[in-house]
Amino acid sequence: MVAQLIDGKAIAARLRQDLAVEVAAMTAQGHRPGLAVVLVGEDPASQVYVRNKARQTVEVGMESFEYRLPASTGQDELLALVDRLNADPAVDGILVQLPLPPQIDATTVLRAILPEKDVDGFHPTNVGLVATGAGGIVPCTPLGSMMLIETVRRDLAGLNAVVIGRSNIVGKPMVQLLLAAGCTVTVAHSKTVDLPGLCRRADILVAAVGRPEMVRGDWVKPGAIVIDVGINRVTGADGKSRLVGDVAFAEAQAVAGAITPVPGGVGPMTIACLLHNTVKAAAVRRSLVPA
């Protein structure tokens, strides 16, 4: 058996097409949704992410506001910018790119963003709303992962799900989405006893631990849906670097029912869901289209 390949790149493209239609409708009603992205410093990976976000924002018809600040920027200066963006009616979503320089406390900055403009879904208000099933903005990577799962199977009620990783950005919100879908969910981490055995019981296995190819093929239940959130750069015996996930892809593909590749799986969905969250935020704030 060879697993179905979950093509995140194609699914993200379809989502952006749908968003472009929504953005056009909202623009015709008098407001073009706007996303502000703030980058502090010159981290190479962050620069690539910000550039891709800005390009895709424009491609779906939204306004893109980009702020690039030097690595020496102080916390008060950054908070002042966040305050201005909070008050700017043209800005519907605010994203402060992480990581931030050491002189800036990321938690303080993220909590300064208005919850209704927090398109990353990191503000405690949104975390609480998502956890209690009362709405809120869902973090982009878990939201995209859930969308990918639902392209394979819509009704998830009663399935066993295992999430490897308990970060606030991916693991914990992923658990909340799976619980809301009716799954029985187990959170695994570095201290989990018999992790391979636990994974073998999972109908849905989400790997978000940041360890290259940690999940082996014999950890996977035959027919399971495997979502690989990891993006790790490794160097092969030939000296060339390549990207791999947290799952040993070739091994797992021979056992799973469906699996995401790395790259081309969850990654493209993350930015698409950022755009989705911005459109949703604009709609909710202005009642331009149904949320």
Side-chain angles (χ1 to χ4, degrees):
M1 178 179 72
V2 177
Q4 170 190 341
L5 196 66
I6 306 174
D7 189 344
K9 188 175 181 180
I11 295 166
R14 291 197 295 271
L15 176 56
R16 291 195 301 272
Q17 289 174 353
D18 292 341
L19 290 172
V21 173
E22 292 187 51
V23 169
M26 296 170 73
T27 302
Q29 294 179 64
H31 176 70
R32 187 187 304 275
L35 172 63
V37 177
V38 180
L39 173 64
V40 184
E42 300 179 355
D43 178 77
S46 293
Q47 290 191 48
V48 172
Y49 294 150
V50 167
R51 184 166 60 247
N52 288 338
K53 289 168 184 173
R55 174 178 56 80
Q56 293 187 31
T57 299
V58 172
E59 286 177 353
V60 300
M62 292 197 296
E63 293 280 3
S64 176
F65 306 100
E66 189 174 320
Y67 299 84
R68 293 177 177 263
L69 306 178
S72 59
T73 299
Q75 180 166 299
D76 289 345
E77 183 180 351
L78 179 55
L79 289 172
L81 173 58
V82 170
D83 285 343
R84 291 198 300 274
L85 296 176
N86 280 336
D88 189 340
V91 175
D92 297 292
I94 302 170
L95 181 147
V96 177
Q97 183 67 45
L98 302 178
L100 291 169
Q103 74 273 15
I104 300 176
D105 180 62
T107 299
T108 299
V109 172
L110 295 178
R111 290 186 177 184
I113 299 171
L114 287 175
E116 58 267 31
K117 292 190 177 187
D118 165 42
V119 288
D120 256 336
F122 295 162
H123 193 282
T125 296
N126 283 317
V127 173
L129 289 171
V130 171
T132 57
I137 299 176
V138 180
C140 303
T141 299
L143 179 59
S145 298
M146 199 67 187
M147 289 181 179
L148 295 178
I149 292 169
E150 290 176 341
T151 64
V152 179
R153 180 167 174 169
R154 294 292 300 179
D155 183 9
L156 306 179
L159 297 185
N160 289 319
V162 170
V163 178
I164 310 175
R166 50 181 172 175
S167 72
N168 292 331
I169 294 174
V170 180
K172 291 177 182 176
M174 191 75 230
V175 168
Q176 301 301 333
L177 296 181
L178 290 165
L179 284 172
C183 295
T184 300
V185 187
T186 303
V187 185
H189 48 78
S190 60
K191 297 181 181 178
T192 298
V193 175
D194 189 18
L195 180 56
L198 179 66
C199 292
R200 290 187 196 105
R201 297 193 291 273
D203 302 301
I204 301 170
L205 180 59
V206 181
V209 69
R211 296 184 182 180
E213 300 181 324
M214 184 186 79
V215 177
R216 313 307 304 187
D218 61 1
W219 293 26
V220 178
K221 179 180 179 179
I225 300 171
V226 178
I227 303 296
D228 190 350
V229 180
I231 302 179
N232 310 284
R233 186 168 293 278
V234 299
T235 302
D238 57 1
K240 296 181 179 179
S241 67
R242 59 191 179 96
L243 290 178
V244 300
D246 292 348
V247 178
F249 179 79
E251 294 179 15
Q253 188 180 29
V255 183
I259 188 171
T260 58
V262 176
V266 175
M269 291 297 294
T270 297
I271 296 180
C273 286
L274 172 67
L275 306 180
H276 164 86
N277 282 349
T278 304
V279 172
K280 176 182 176 181
V284 170
R285 291 178 63 241
R286 298 173 179 275
S287 301
L288 291 176
V289 296

